Amino acid sequence: MYEIKPIGFFEAIEEEKYAVSRQPAVLKGNRGKIVLNPGCNFEQALSDLDGFDRIFVIYRFSKNHAWKPKVLPTRGDKKRGVFATRSPHRPNFLGLSCLQLIDIQGLTLNVINHDLLNGTPIFDIKPYIVYADCFPDAKQGWLEEVGNEPLFAVKWLREAQEQRDFLEMKWKVLLASNIYPRLSVHPFPKKQNRIKALENGFYEIAYKTWRVRYAVDLQAQEVIVHEIYSGYDAETLAGERACPYNDLECHLDFNML
């Protein structure tokens, strides 16, 4: 029997799986930190690590509780063996990410461009070493079949931007950063991505109790966000039906815009 214990935990604003990209290099600028456990002599273990630009982080996918032998990756429309993907639905729920290290302050490692959720248990940290870990000519298996899909730029029309700013500034609803990973990689309906097609070429993406309507310009490789609206029906907004998420006041205030 093998036992593995966390050496620390990850801290970030991202709480939900759909709020982070599938790969750490996709979502640019999001910051987080690894906070190691005190009283374990980890201060000495961190010696000399601050000279490295990148680190490998081994962790547990804490929101996954069942594994799947075959999964549907973000790229492509065919199921693949889980060992041929980066899917979190793994037998031992172990993840491996290469993160950019900003600095180290005591037992805290500040990183950027991550794909981890707040509260993720951290099991180990290793430096990324160019001569040992970089193989630019390596074959990419089934990924070579689907090709290198460029990211979509996400643009907000003025009305949508005002709605977004209102929710973020007054109600701390971080909608933009939470939907960006899905919109930038694959802004079309796919199993479990909470995107559906609407009429007249529009699409709708869901974030918690909010909905966002947008269009896609394939030629320009852009997603154009048109509006934000409540995901509650008229009965819930009128108080005739129970609100399960305790955010009705926010929705009513938003509808007064």
Side-chain angles (χ1 to χ4, degrees), residues 232-243 248 252:
Y232 287 136
D233 57 26
E235 289 79 6
T236 302
L237 292 173
E240 299 172 1
R241 182 180 299 173
C243 177
L248 183 58
L252 294 175

Side-chain angles (χ1 to χ4, degrees), residues 6-230:
I7 62 172
F9 293 87
F10 195 76
E11 295 184 5
I13 63 171
E14 292 84 3
E15 299 277 355
E16 306 294 338
K17 289 186 285 186
Y18 50 75
V20 293
S21 64
R22 295 296 185 180
Q23 305 298 333
V26 172
L27 186 58
K28 302 293 185 181
N30 61 328
R31 294 173 178 260
K33 55 186 177 182
I34 299 169
V35 181
L36 300 182
N37 299 331
C40 300
N41 206 23
F42 288 151
E43 291 86 352
Q44 291 192 53
L46 289 171
S47 298
D48 306 309
L49 184 61
D50 57 357
F52 291 88
D53 281 338
R54 294 185 176 276
I55 56 175
F56 283 115
V57 180
I58 301 173
Y59 55 93
R60 189 189 192 283
F61 290 110
S62 54
K63 288 186 177 290
N64 288 79
H65 306 288
W67 81 282
K68 301 176 182 178
K70 281 205 166 187
V71 296
L72 183 64
T74 303
R75 295 173 63 180
D77 55 5
K78 178 182 177 181
K79 283 193 173 185
R80 308 283 179 177
V82 69
F83 293 145
T85 74
R86 301 290 187 90
S87 169
H89 302 288
R90 320 190 73 79
N92 288 312
F93 313 110
L94 292 180
L96 173 67
S97 291
C98 186
L99 307 183
Q100 185 175 347
L101 179 63
I102 301 175
D103 58 32
I104 301 175
Q105 299 177 2
L107 290 173
T108 299
L109 293 80
N110 294 299
V111 298
I112 194 171
N113 302 337
H114 68 84
D115 59 346
L116 279 69
L117 297 177
N118 184 51
T120 296
I122 306 298
F123 291 139
D124 205 354
I125 300 167
K126 298 182 179 183
Y128 171 84
I129 302 174
V130 175
Y131 78 84
D133 300 320
C134 183
F135 303 96
D137 298 325
K139 292 182 178 180
Q140 299 296 294
W142 61 267
L143 286 169
E144 296 179 357
E145 300 174 15
V146 300
N148 186 20
E149 299 178 357
L151 296 179
F152 286 82
V154 179
K155 295 187 176 181
W156 295 71
L157 297 185
R158 182 175 178 178
E159 179 183 353
Q161 186 173 355
E162 292 175 352
Q163 294 174 324
R164 178 198 69 190
D165 293 344
F166 173 81
L167 288 174
E168 290 188 356
M169 295 176 63
K170 184 171 183 179
W171 293 97
K172 309 303 179 186
V173 178
L174 304 179
L175 190 146
S177 60
N178 278 282
I179 65 174
Y180 177 79
R182 286 178 286 163
L183 293 183
S184 63
V185 176
H186 189 82
F188 306 105
K190 198 171 185 178
K191 185 179 180 181
Q192 296 181 345
N193 72 353
R194 302 193 73 194
I195 294 175
K196 69 179 183 179
L198 303 176
E199 296 180 349
N200 301 320
F202 284 98
Y203 297 90
E204 178 189 270
I205 186 170
Y207 169 64
K208 293 188 175 179
T209 56
W210 297 95
R211 304 294 181 264
V212 178
R213 185 172 67 94
Y214 64 92
V216 179
D217 186 335
L218 288 174
Q219 186 173 1
Q221 202 70 17
E222 291 180 348
V223 169
I224 302 96
V225 179
H226 285 249
E227 66 171 326
I228 303 170
Y229 46 93
S230 173

